[in-house]
Amino acid sequence: MNITKIELINFRNYKKAIFDKFSNLNIIIGKNGVGKTSIIEAIYLGSLAKSFKTNSDDTIINNESNSYKIKIYYFDYGPKNNLEIIYDKTGKKTKINSKLQKRLSDFISQYRIIMLSPDELKLIKSSPNTRRNYLNIQISQLYKEYIHYLNNYNILIKNKNDYLKKLMINGNLDIRYLDIIDEKIVDEGMKIYNYRKDYINKINIYINDIFKKYDRNSNIFIQYVSDYEVNDKEKLLKELKRIRKKEINLGMTSFGVHRDDYEFIHNENNSKEYSSQGQQKLIVLAMKLAEVSIFTNDYNIKPILLLDDLFSELDEKNRNNIFKSINKDTQVFITTTDLKNINKRLLDRAKIFNLDERM
Ligand SMILES: Nc1ncnc2c1ncn2[C@@H]1O[C@H](COP(=O)(O)OP(=O)(O)O)[C@@H](O)[C@H]1O
Ligand SMILES: [Mg+2]
């Protein structure tokens, strides 16, 4: 799966731009603010239909316009294909080969991406919510049905919270409704738990070996932390019964996979409190590279790697290490302000896009 061409119309600072003839290794160079991250953002949107920078597509539209459009051409062994995202007042439309897609879930993951940036490297320090979102995105790139289970679960939790709030006000309401909704929640929640557990297990198969290339004397693994750890329907229902009074008093669901998290265990310690900042970044880097291996080896999917401004964060040895663990036929997009950050051997086989020359 390779992207060959991108067209941007009224997207961020681009009124109209075409980037063409991509190769496997693409380096986008230019001064700060010239539009490097915006190209990465367009590729990310083409895969997930959602930006990593904002939840509001209005901010993406060029200031002087009222709609944006992205068109991405790609090929996957067979015939050439293209994707479009058009956004205006009426909402977001997506197309595959000019055919309008009814649902976003039909559009997403035509190609998969793994994103690495200074922001992404903060994963260990960030909130449980950010870590959960990240895990959700990654699993949904591999399993479409996962998005569906997640939506179901979230709707059930919302309905349960609404009912708990009503119960707070009116204690005479039928409590049996909670039995019914709890059973549905546990069914959906256990599915989500098992996808997450399986994905984290897979990361653990690769991450330690990869991390050792960066830090020879360290051990690393990811510990999944979930209320659903017992993974047994009867026991989970029993627990929900046990805490029911508390939930009614709180007026919200205080137990479930919506509270899941994962910890990075570095030399038997929680990395958040134990590792240096530099180590935390390398641990996340190792995790992402482990994910490239999962996609490639376990699912036979070649993800596209997006390295946005990453090299400013790493020293030369660590930069070069990345490319030792990546297949040469994996497509990579790198942005940088300075070609000095890029080693000669990479430069020789890269296609370079100099955005300063467009100004
Ligand atoms: N909606 C928009 N309309 C016009 N310009 C924008 C919009 N959103 C962001 N910009 C500008 O686009 C430029 C490109 O940003 P970015 O791609 O992050 O640059 P880089 O990664 O090269 O530093 C920035 O100068 C920013 O101010
Ligand atoms: Mg940038």
Side-chain angles (χ1 to χ4, degrees):
M1 201 3 273
N2 271 20
I3 292 176
T4 52
K5 178 177 168 181
I6 301 174
E7 288 173 24
L8 304 175
I9 296 170
N10 294 320
F11 184 86
R12 297 281 186 191
N13 58 321
Y14 296 102
K15 305 252 359 148
K16 188 171 194 319
I18 295 179
F19 300 97
D20 204 358
K21 302 196 177 68
F22 290 125
S23 76
N24 272 355
L25 180 59
N26 303 283
I27 298 176
I28 300 161
I29 174 169
K31 292 192 194 73
N32 280 325
V34 80
K36 302 182 296 298
T37 299
S38 304
I39 296 175
I40 300 292
E41 189 181 24
I43 300 173
Y44 189 99
L45 266 156
S47 175
L48 293 165
K50 208 179 159 310
S51 167
F52 53 84
K53 279 188 86 170
T54 175
N55 286 323
S56 151
D57 284 87
D58 290 313
T59 25
I60 297 174
I61 301 176
N62 184 274
N63 290 337
E64 290 162 32
S65 177
N66 42 38
S67 68
Y68 79 71
K69 181 176 156 180
I70 307 170
K71 187 162 184 180
I72 294 179
Y73 298 79
Y74 65 99
F75 72 86
D76 194 1
Y77 303 108
K80 284 193 180 168
N81 292 298
N82 67 72
L83 304 172
E84 286 163 273
I85 299 182
I86 303 124
Y87 178 80
D88 61 22
K89 279 196 301 297
T90 64
K92 198 183 280 183
K93 288 191 203 72
T94 57
K95 294 181 186 174
I96 303 176
N97 295 337
S98 304
K99 190 168 177 289
L100 201 64
Q101 301 298 303
K102 281 203 202 76
R103 289 173 305 196
L104 274 188
S105 59
D106 293 330
F107 174 83
I108 66 164
S109 293
Q110 299 308 305
Y111 59 85
R112 277 76 161 191
I113 45 110
I114 305 266
M115 169 98 186
L116 273 152
S117 66
D119 246 13
E120 297 272 328
L121 293 188
K122 292 186 190 129
L123 192 70
I124 294 176
K125 273 214 162 50
S126 56
S127 68
N129 193 33
T130 305
R131 276 190 294 279
R132 254 189 328 267
N133 280 341
Y134 179 70
L135 196 62
N136 287 340
I137 289 170
Q138 296 306 84
I139 298 172
S140 65
Q141 292 201 72
L142 298 171
Y143 297 98
K144 259 203 179 140
E145 66 273 22
Y146 180 78
I147 308 172
H148 179 68
Y149 299 143
L150 214 52
N151 285 338
N152 289 349
Y153 181 87
N154 289 334
I155 291 167
L156 288 165
I157 292 291
K158 191 188 168 298
N159 291 345
K160 180 175 169 183
N161 286 344
D162 287 348
Y163 202 77
L164 286 169
K165 286 199 183 76
K166 279 191 202 144
L167 263 170
M168 268 198 331
I169 300 161
N170 178 1
N172 294 327
L173 286 175
D174 192 351
I175 208 103
R176 275 173 305 180
Y177 176 75
L178 289 177
D179 290 337
I180 297 165
I181 201 160
D182 273 350
E183 180 161 1
K184 287 187 184 155
I185 287 173
V186 168
D187 283 340
E188 259 358 66
M190 281 180 73
K191 288 181 203 157
I192 293 164
Y193 171 83
N194 281 302
Y195 278 98
R196 289 177 178 169
K197 187 170 167 221
D198 179 62
Y199 190 71
I200 289 172
N201 281 344
K202 285 195 167 85
I203 295 177
N204 282 332
I205 292 171
Y206 296 102
I207 192 170
N208 201 34
D209 286 344
I210 295 173
F211 190 60
K212 281 203 182 318
K213 288 185 199 148
Y214 296 89
D215 196 336
R216 240 182 325 141
N217 301 314
S218 286
N219 280 301
I220 189 82
F221 77 93
I222 298 179
Q223 176 74 57
Y224 181 25
V225 182
S226 176
D227 287 339
Y228 273 44
E229 203 190 321
V230 290
N231 204 12
D232 177 303
K233 185 170 171 178
E234 294 314 314
K235 286 188 179 142
L236 290 167
L237 286 172
K238 220 169 127 190
E239 178 62 14
L240 280 164
K241 272 237 163 75
R242 194 183 70 78
I243 62 164
R244 179 161 292 169
K245 259 221 174 75
K246 190 180 114 200
E247 287 197 326
I248 293 173
N249 288 335
L250 274 172
M252 62 185 253
T253 312
S254 63
F255 181 90
V257 293
H258 56 294
R259 299 167 4 109
D260 277 1
D261 197 2
Y262 46 101
E263 289 168 356
F264 295 76
I265 308 298
H266 180 197
N267 296 341
E268 275 83 59
N269 298 284
N270 189 341
S271 171
K272 201 187 285 182
E273 290 125 25
Y274 170 83
S275 316
S276 71
Q277 283 220 39
Q279 284 171 330
Q280 288 184 352
K281 286 177 189 168
L282 291 177
I283 291 167
V284 180
L285 174 65
M287 173 190 177
K288 300 264 188 175
L289 294 174
E291 294 182 274
V292 175
S293 295
I294 293 172
F295 280 46
T296 316
N297 301 342
D298 300 9
Y299 293 88
N300 203 16
I301 289 167
K302 250 189 339 166
I304 293 174
L305 248 66
L306 306 176
L307 312 187
D308 188 26
D309 225 1
L310 181 74
F311 288 4
S312 60
E313 298 273 313
L314 305 172
D315 63 27
E316 193 182 346
K317 181 175 147 274
N318 291 332
R319 288 199 292 262
N320 295 336
N321 256 335
I322 297 179
F323 291 90
K324 284 186 192 148
S325 40
I326 297 173
N327 259 330
K328 279 218 168 56
D329 61 351
T330 301
Q331 193 174 32
V332 187
F333 289 83
I334 299 172
T335 73
T336 181
T337 49
D338 195 347
L339 281 184
K340 273 204 229 91
N341 283 337
I342 302 194
N343 115 349
K344 171 95 176 45
R345 282 220 315 282
L346 282 182
L347 273 182
D348 284 345
R349 67 180 183 89
K351 167 127 191 184
I352 294 168
F353 296 81
N354 189 336
L355 300 187
D356 294 333
E357 284 168 6
R358 292 169 41 91
M359 303 301 276

